[in-house]
């Protein structure tokens, strides 16, 4: 089967410390792919390489040096990075959706407004997903007129996922999206994550939780000390 995403020899240093060491993986179309490992193993650094971001803090940009990984990144036949050939596509030119540990919603907008924000930024001819595709999938139809501050943590995270999908991304990056939720809220969100395959968007999911990876992922890569195990 063909691949949607190919990472070749992705490496990154943090000062003299090798954060990621020649990570190479291939992700199939529509696959739910998980990087699994303990804190500091390099999994978020690989996610940042896909996004075109520097630094080695959380995917949202906290902490770390503002340097970027090296190697080759190809997504759906397009080369986003190839240091051997001097190819580099900056983050604003990469059609990605990102879901952080904390749902970064616009507090001054309703849930509907948050969803519309991502959708309207995509040219009409490039919209692969519509509201009717995403809202039932995430079970948020009853929340559309509410404000983020009135939502539970699980509801906020489901809205964040829906907004990311409505940007019609080539891939969806998820950085420990359940880590800030209690057990009840995790149980609320997990079935929604299981249904993401219906969108056809490949998912790259970072977690330290073995149970999440086992339940959700089609393919799991374990990282340890920056290397594929």
């Amino acid at each position: 089967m063909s691949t949607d995403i190919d990472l070749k020899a992705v490496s990154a240093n943090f000062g003299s410390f090798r954060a990621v060491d020649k990570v190479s993986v291939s992700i199939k179309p529509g696959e739910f792919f998980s990087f699994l490992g303990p804190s500091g193993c390099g999994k978020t650094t690989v996610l940042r390489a896909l996004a075109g971001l520097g630094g080695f803090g959380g995917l949202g940009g906290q902490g770390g040096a503002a340097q970027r990984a090296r190697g080759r990144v190809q997504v759906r036949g397009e080369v986003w990075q190839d240091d051997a050939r001097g190819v580099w596509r900056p983050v604003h030119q990469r059609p990605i959706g990102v879901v952080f540990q904390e749902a970064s919603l616009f507090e001054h907008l309703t849930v509907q407004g948050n969803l519309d924000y991502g959708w309207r930024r995509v040219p009409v001819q490039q919209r692969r997903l519509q509201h009717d595709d995403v809202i039932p999938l995430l079970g948020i139809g009853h929340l559309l007129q509410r404000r983020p501050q009135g939502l539970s943590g699980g509801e906020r995270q489901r809205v964040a996922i829906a907004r990311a999908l409505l940007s019609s991304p080539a891939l969806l990056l998820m950085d420990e999206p359940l880590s800030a939720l209690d057990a009840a809220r995790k149980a609320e969100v997990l079935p929604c994550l299981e249904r993401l395959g219906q969108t056809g968007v490949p998912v790259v999911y970072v977690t330290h939780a073995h149970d999440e990876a086992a339940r959700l992922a089609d393919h799991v890569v374990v990282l340890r000390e920056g290397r594929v195990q």
Side-chain angles (χ1 to χ4, degrees), residues 30-34 99-100 134 136-139 154 157-162 164-165 172-179 181 185-207 211-213 215-218:
E31 188 169 53
F32 198 118
F33 187 99
S34 179
V99 179
F100 305 110
V134 171
L137 192 75
L138 278 301
Q157 203 64 304
R158 285 187 284 146
V159 173
I161 295 167
L165 287 171
L172 180 62
L173 307 179
M174 308 188 80
D175 186 17
E176 300 270 12
L178 303 183
S179 63
L181 304 180
R185 301 290 81 77
K186 286 183 181 180
E188 169 191 322
V189 178
L190 275 166
C192 298
L193 297 180
E194 289 179 307
R195 294 193 290 269
L196 291 181
Q198 298 176 29
T199 67
V201 178
V203 177
V204 182
Y205 187 93
V206 158
T207 184
D211 58 334
E212 290 177 27
R215 176 171 175 174
L216 296 172
D218 302 305

Side-chain angles (χ1 to χ4, degrees), residues 59-72:
L59 192 61
Q62 299 88 356
Q67 50 186 294
R68 63 176 177 83
R70 302 174 307 282
R72 190 174 191 276

Side-chain angles (χ1 to χ4, degrees), residues 144-156:
L144 296 180
Q145 300 311 312
R146 291 172 61 181
R147 301 269 180 179
Q149 55 267 36
L151 304 179
S152 70
E155 289 169 341
R156 290 174 63 92

Side-chain angles (χ1 to χ4, degrees), residues 19-20 23 38-47 223-227:
V20 171
V23 170
S39 296
C41 72
K43 54 190 186 295
T44 294
T45 300
V46 176
L47 217 63
L223 293 181
R224 187 173 298 276
E225 297 181 350
R227 296 179 179 176

Side-chain angles (χ1 to χ4, degrees), residues 78-156:
E78 296 183 351
V79 178
W80 289 4
Q81 176 178 351
D82 189 341
D83 289 288
R85 295 167 47 205
V87 176
W88 171 254
R89 180 179 293 191
V91 60
H92 67 275
Q93 295 179 5
R94 301 187 186 200
I96 58 172
V98 182
V99 179
F100 305 110
Q101 296 174 18
E102 298 282 352
S104 302
L105 302 178
F106 297 114
E107 300 293 333
H108 65 290
L109 298 177
T110 62
V111 168
Q112 182 74 62
N114 271 274
L115 300 183
D116 290 345
Y117 177 84
W119 183 73
R120 286 173 178 160
R121 296 184 68 190
V122 182
V124 173
Q125 65 274 18
Q126 296 177 22
R127 290 175 182 162
R128 295 189 298 274
L129 292 171
Q130 304 292 337
H131 291 67
D132 289 345
D133 301 316
V134 171
I135 290 171
L137 192 75
L138 278 301
I140 57 173
H142 63 295
L143 304 176
L144 296 180
Q145 300 311 312
R146 291 172 61 181
R147 301 269 180 179
Q149 55 267 36
L151 304 179
S152 70
E155 289 169 341
R156 290 174 63 92

